């Protein structure tokens, strides 16, 4: 395959440079005088958008635009790009577009891509497109890919495509592949296809207090957790947890499970499998979507209400990554069903633009006409928390900043109260960590204490994470050298670090000191590289020190929540046991500003 791709790269590069067709009739490389009259401008636009898709920054917008302007008339050009373009993002974009067009004429080209493309994401997406088209002609090669492709995600996406096609041969092949699949993640995906053949399983959940129970709503799996002290005569509030792309519903139940018992709340987590919900972040509103994600969730909630007494009129909603995309769009589409919601680490936000159809803008979608023109003001006035990690990717931070700015501007321009708030999370793209921040909002007794949470993510670190450490003087038991001195733990720079001297391992310490007492109830310890620290303790005080926390292991952005707010002029981290000389990038005491 590598040799074949190299030949294609050389050939296509030449075609792109001269933009001529050399005997092959290549639509992608055709010169303007060989293009059908009246279509040259249109094909040139397609080519330009294809090239924009080679950039990760413009990929999503390019795919959305191509879906809008292409049709079956453009298949020769689109097929040529898929087979011959040297850039994997351009080829991958074509698989999304062909899945959208959903034409039988694309089957042979997609099968060639599934078997021969040298990039796994392109092969994986080709499998998805074949499942969307649903042709039985694809079954034989999809079975081959499910059994033999070297990438596990290609194997399970091929299985999902076969499950959508749903022929007896396809369903039997999934069972056989599940029995022999060695990769646990692919095997788990296939397991749920085996028990949900052709996505036709329908089984109401059976309540099991203190345990995670499973149900199927019209072929879509969901899991439910009911508090261990469940009382059948009581009506319970409901919180829905929505997973990210390729994640598991059970994992998100486990993140929230302790709070379900603590606050006496029922949890429901839908499993929007990619085979049928490839765009659930946009509520799966698309030309070829057989079912909308928002409506399926409402059906699950209604089904749960027949199994137990649960409040269904207003819910709490939490979602991470693509789940965060789902959450804020669900709030916009169904504001009257929301009590509180938290959208964490979303990458794609709706725009308050009526000229663009929902889920991109707020205009009427031909695929969800019942929603009509959406009222962005309803979202602005909803109790919605936006949570983004301070160390998440630049794209996530930029998009969150832009969306939050648009929300506040819309509120000002339309003289509306704004109840959307931004909350900081320490670290990167981590649903567990971000839930710990979101839960502060989701379960608070008084939401008025969050009225000052109006800063976007770019301003958080300076005002929140480093506010106290940057004011401190640092000292330590020893240092490796001048470049690894104690003050590196308070220099607001994750790329520098304190390192104790050779031999100063167990018992080594680093300390922050302030001229006047400070208050905090959390401490984030950022350890460099591989975990060396095996046991540690935190101490505070003025002249003498007392222990306030201890633990095992540290690692990246390890957050310690203290039992109460402390007032102190000293904070010392002592390493009780380590495998080598300890090394710390930042020691950051802090307190959420809504608790001050």
């Amino acid at each position: 395959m590598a040799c074949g791709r190299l030949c294609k790269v050389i050939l296509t590069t030449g075609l792109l440079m001269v933009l001529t067709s050399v005997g092959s009739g290549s639509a992608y490389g055709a010169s303007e005088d060989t293009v059908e009259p009246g279509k040259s401008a249109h094909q040139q636009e397609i080519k330009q958008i294809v090239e924009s898709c080679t950039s990760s920054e413009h990929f999503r917008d390019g795919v959305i635009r191509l879906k809008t302007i292409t049709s079956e008339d453009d298949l020769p050009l689109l097929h040529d790009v898929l087979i011959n373009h040297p850039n994997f993002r351009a080829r991958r974009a074509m698989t999304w577009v062909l899945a959208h067009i959903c034409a039988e004429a694309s089957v042979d080209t997609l099968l060639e891509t599934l078997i021969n493309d040298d990039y796994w994401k392109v092969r994986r997406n080709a499998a998805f497109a074949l499942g969307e088209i649903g042709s039985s002609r694809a079954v034989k090669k999809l079975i081959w890919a499910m059994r033999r492709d070297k990438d596990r995600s290609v194997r399970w996406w091929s299985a999902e495509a076969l499950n959508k096609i749903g022929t007896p041969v396809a369903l039997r092949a999934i069972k056989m592949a599940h029995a022999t699949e060695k990769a646990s993640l692919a095997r788990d995906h296939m397991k749920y296809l085996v028990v949900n053949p052709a996505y036709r399983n329908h089984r109401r959940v059976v309540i099991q207090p203190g345990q995670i129970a499973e149900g199927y709503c019209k072929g879509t799996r969901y899991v439910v957790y009911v508090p261990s002290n469940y009382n059948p005569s009581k009506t319970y509030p409901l919180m829905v947890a929505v997973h990210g792309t390729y994640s598991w519903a059970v994992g998100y139940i486990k993140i929230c499970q302790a709070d379900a018992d603590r606050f006496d709340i029922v949890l429901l987590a839908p499993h929007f499998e990619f085979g049928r919900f490839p765009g659930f972040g946009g509520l799966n509103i698309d030309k070829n979507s057989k079912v909308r994600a928002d409506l399926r969730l409402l059906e699950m909630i209604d089904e749960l209400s027949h199994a137990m007494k649960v409040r269904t009129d207003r819910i709490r909603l939490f979602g991470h990554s693509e789940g965060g995309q789902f959450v804020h769009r669900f709030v916009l589409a169904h504001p009257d069903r929301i009590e509180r919601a938290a959208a964490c680490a979303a990458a794609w936000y709706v725009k308050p633009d009526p000229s663009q159809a929902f889920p991109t803008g707020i205009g009427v979608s031909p695929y969800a006409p019942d929603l009509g023109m959406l009222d962005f003001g309803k979202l602005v006035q909803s109790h919605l928390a936006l949570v983004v990690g301070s160390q998440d990717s630049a794209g996530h931070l930029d998009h969150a900043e832009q969306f939050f700015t648009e929300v506040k501007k819309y509120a000002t321009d339309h003289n509306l109260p704004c109840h959307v708030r931004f909350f900081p999370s320490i670290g990167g793209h981590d649903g567990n960590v971000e839930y710990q921040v979101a839960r502060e909002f989701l379960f608070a007794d008084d939401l008025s204490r969050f009225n000052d949470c109006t800063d976007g993510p770019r301003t958080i670190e300076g005002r929140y994470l480093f506010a106290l450490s940057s004011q401190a003087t640092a000292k330590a038991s020893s240092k490796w050298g001048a470049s690894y001195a104690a003050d590196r733990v308070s220099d607001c720079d994750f790329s520098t670090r304190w390192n104790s001297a050779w031999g100063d391992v167990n018992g080594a310490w680093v300390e922050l000191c302030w001229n006047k007492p400070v208050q905090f109830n959390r401490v984030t310890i950022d350890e460099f590289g591989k975990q060396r620290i095996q046991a540690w303790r935190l101490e505070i005080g003025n002249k003498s020190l007392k222990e306030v926390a201890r633990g095992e292991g540290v690692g990246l952005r390890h957050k310690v929540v203290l039992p109460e707010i402390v007032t102190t002029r000293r904070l010392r981290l002592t390493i009780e046991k380590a495998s080598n000389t300890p090394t710390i990038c930042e020691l950051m005491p802090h307190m959420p500003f809504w608790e001050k």
Side-chain angles (χ1 to χ4, degrees), residues 16-160:
L16 286 170
M17 291 175 62
V18 300
L19 286 176
T20 58
S21 177
V22 186
S24 64
S26 168
Y28 186 68
S31 62
E32 293 299 327
D33 58 4
T34 64
V35 176
E36 185 179 340
K39 289 192 175 181
S40 59
H42 174 66
Q43 292 200 348
Q44 191 61 35
E45 182 182 9
I46 292 174
K47 293 176 185 179
Q48 291 171 352
I49 299 172
V50 166
E51 292 309 308
S52 75
C53 290
T54 62
S55 163
S56 60
E57 181 181 358
H58 301 295
F59 180 84
R60 181 188 292 272
D61 289 340
V63 170
I64 291 172
R65 179 62 180 156
L66 285 169
K67 286 182 178 181
T68 303
I69 69 170
T70 56
S71 67
E72 290 194 39
D73 292 339
D74 301 305
L75 288 180
L77 174 57
L78 302 177
H79 292 167
D80 194 61
V81 174
L82 177 56
I83 295 300
N84 291 310
H85 202 288
N87 184 275
F88 73 89
R89 288 194 186 94
R91 302 197 306 275
R92 188 179 173 210
M94 290 305 98
T95 60
W96 288 125
V97 176
L98 293 176
H100 177 78
I101 295 173
C102 205
E104 178 76 20
S106 296
V107 169
D108 290 335
T109 302
L110 288 165
L111 287 173
E112 180 180 348
T113 301
L114 174 68
I115 301 302
N116 294 322
D117 200 280
D118 57 8
Y119 190 61
W120 64 273
K121 285 187 177 181
V122 180
R123 299 196 306 278
R124 183 186 71 180
N125 284 31
F128 167 73
L130 289 164
E132 287 289 278
I133 295 169
S135 173
S136 59
R137 290 198 296 119
V139 167
K140 184 176 180 180
K141 288 188 177 179
L142 280 168
I143 291 173
W144 184 94
M146 176 178 64
R147 291 175 173 173
R148 300 187 182 184
D149 195 279
K150 61 185 178 182
D151 184 86
R152 64 183 183 182
S153 68
V154 177
R155 296 197 296 274
W156 92 60
W157 281 39
S158 296
E160 289 194 348

Side-chain angles (χ1 to χ4, degrees), residues 157-189:
W157 281 39
S158 296
E160 289 194 348
L162 289 164
N163 205 43
K164 291 181 77 172
I165 294 170
T167 64
V169 171
L171 299 180
R172 283 196 301 271
I174 295 171
K175 286 185 178 181
M176 295 173 64
H178 169 252
T180 58
E181 176 60 54
K182 295 182 179 179
S184 60
L185 190 59
R187 187 169 61 251
D188 287 344
H189 276 275

Side-chain angles (χ1 to χ4, degrees), residues 9 50 77 96-97 137 236 259 270 319 335 351 361 363 424 480 491 555 575:
V9 168
V50 166
L77 174 57
W96 288 125
V97 176
R137 290 198 296 119
Y236 285 81
D259 282 332
K351 300 174 183 177
W480 188 270
D491 64 357
I575 289 80

Side-chain angles (χ1 to χ4, degrees), residues 32 37 60 142 250 334 483 518 535:
E32 293 299 327
R60 181 188 292 272
L142 280 168
V250 170
H334 306 280
S483 298
V518 297

Side-chain angles (χ1 to χ4, degrees), residues 266-503:
V266 171
L267 301 175
L268 184 152
H271 182 198
F272 292 128
E273 78 283 344
F274 197 85
R276 288 199 304 165
F277 295 92
F280 74 87
L283 308 190
N284 217 40
I285 294 174
D286 190 73
K287 184 184 78 169
N288 299 318
S289 296
K290 305 296 188 297
V291 58
R292 277 172 33 193
D294 59 327
L295 298 183
R296 182 51 48 87
L297 174 59
L298 291 174
E299 290 173 331
M300 291 174 182
I301 293 172
D302 180 67
E303 198 168 274
L304 178 62
S305 71
H306 288 86
M308 64 174 296
K309 292 182 178 180
V310 63
R311 185 181 174 187
T312 62
D313 57 334
R314 297 180 75 82
I315 64 172
R316 299 177 196 185
L317 189 58
F318 158 73
H320 174 253
S321 194
E322 189 165 1
Q325 298 174 32
F326 173 93
V327 164
H328 86 282
R329 286 185 173 85
F330 189 94
V331 171
L332 179 58
H334 306 280
D336 296 336
R337 301 296 296 266
I338 298 299
E339 182 179 351
R340 301 178 197 176
C344 304
W348 175 42
Y349 294 87
V350 70
K351 300 174 183 177
D353 182 359
S355 69
Q356 297 189 62
F358 187 71
T360 301
I362 59 173
V364 178
S365 169
Y367 312 120
D370 57 300
L371 295 176
M373 179 79 72
L374 291 154
D375 185 352
F376 198 74
K378 293 286 184 68
L379 180 145
V380 168
Q381 297 177 83
S382 297
H383 290 296
L384 172 64
L386 305 176
V387 183
V388 182
S390 60
Q391 296 299 304
D392 207 333
S393 68
H396 286 84
L397 289 166
D398 287 341
H399 295 154
E401 187 83 50
Q402 181 181 354
F403 179 69
F404 197 47
T405 300
E406 289 174 342
V407 166
K408 291 188 290 185
K409 183 179 184 302
Y410 192 97
T412 301
D413 292 348
H414 294 80
N415 195 28
L416 296 173
C418 180
H419 294 149
V420 180
R421 294 291 181 258
F422 179 82
F423 291 80
S425 171
I426 301 169
H429 201 72
D430 190 321
N432 196 354
V433 171
E434 285 163 353
Y435 173 73
Q436 300 308 316
V437 176
R439 65 180 297 277
E440 302 271 356
F441 176 82
L442 291 168
F443 299 107
D445 292 330
D446 181 12
L447 291 179
S448 65
R449 65 192 178 99
F450 304 114
N451 288 343
D452 292 332
C453 303
T454 56
D455 281 347
R458 293 295 189 189
T459 63
I460 289 302
E461 283 195 350
R463 191 165 81 85
Y464 174 58
L465 298 182
F466 300 135
L468 294 180
S469 62
S470 62
Q471 302 170 20
T473 300
K475 58 183 181 180
S477 57
S478 64
K479 62 181 179 183
W480 188 270
S483 298
Y484 301 93
D487 60 3
R488 296 300 191 268
V489 303
S490 60
D491 64 357
C492 310
D493 187 347
F494 289 111
S495 67
T496 64
R497 65 186 192 272
W498 163 72
N499 217 111
S500 62
W502 177 261

